Amino acid sequence: GDAQISTGNLVVAAAGKGLSFTGGTDPDTAGTATGNILTDYEEGTWTPSVVDDDGDAVTNLWATAFYTKIGRQVTVWAQFDLNSPGVSVDQTDVAQISGLPFTCMNTNNIFMGACQIQRGSYGGDYLVARVMGNTSTLKINDCVSGTGTSNDYLTIGELVTHASTAPGFTVTYFV
């Protein structure tokens, strides 16, 4: 039968244990399913910072940022505004948004997500937020339609130029 909880929460007290959704294999797939136990769910806020290649942080940064972690999957959302980069920041350096709530898994793959800058004017056709393996940092890639391989990342100066448009991104990655 079904278990019903009318008050309180269902708490799994043993470490590494969780909710099992199947008897060990997934009958709905032709492949071999692994990880059918949900052991982690978390929601929260995180504090992004924009840094240059030397690790100098942009000052005057206002940001709102949230995350949801379900098992190994993390989805982050942020929107920010920066009025001036600060005197020690090199505006020609690539803008690196650091402080992701979890370090990305160590992989050669790149996790990508949506990015928007209202009224932005860039050489490429679209912007992509990219998280590289084994980091807690992302960069915004200015891609050219049809190639998708451009390494032309936005600089701090480009972000400052369009700061009043409240740049933002959503990206999902794995830990």
Side-chain angles (χ1 to χ4, degrees):
D2 296 335
Q4 295 183 4
I5 300 172
S6 57
T7 61
N9 296 314
L10 175 63
V11 177
V12 179
K17 300 297 181 185
L19 300 175
S20 177
F21 291 96
T22 67
T25 60
D26 188 347
D28 298 326
T29 69
T32 302
T34 61
N36 291 323
I37 298 176
L38 177 61
T39 59
D40 190 16
Y41 178 87
E42 183 178 331
E43 293 180 353
T45 60
W46 61 285
T47 305
S49 62
V50 178
V51 298
D52 66 11
D53 293 337
D54 297 322
D56 296 322
V58 168
T59 57
N60 302 319
L61 176 69
W62 163 87
T64 301
F66 301 97
Y67 73 90
T68 302
K69 182 176 185 284
I70 304 171
R72 295 178 37 242
Q73 178 179 304
V74 180
T75 299
V76 294
W77 174 90
Q79 187 172 25
F80 54 94
D81 187 5
L82 49 141
N83 296 322
S84 70
V87 293
S88 64
V89 176
D90 186 347
Q91 290 195 43
T92 63
D93 280 355
V94 170
Q96 301 177 61
I97 301 167
S98 64
L100 292 173
F102 302 94
T103 299
C104 181
M105 66 187 289
N106 191 7
T107 178
N108 290 330
N109 295 328
I110 299 170
F111 295 98
M112 294 183 262
C115 182
Q116 63 87 26
I117 297 180
Q118 299 170 2
R119 297 184 304 276
S121 175
Y122 300 100
D125 294 336
Y126 58 94
L127 300 173
V128 176
R130 290 183 162 199
V131 179
M132 308 302 270
N134 204 32
T135 71
S136 58
T137 302
L138 68 81
K139 299 175 184 178
I140 299 173
N141 193 198
D142 185 3
C143 295
V144 177
S145 182
T147 66
T149 58
S150 171
N151 285 328
D152 184 17
Y153 294 107
L154 295 187
T155 66
I156 291 174
E158 289 172 318
L159 282 180
V160 170
T161 299
H162 298 285
S164 63
T165 66
F169 59 85
T170 300
V171 66
T172 298
Y173 64 99
F174 290 87
V175 297

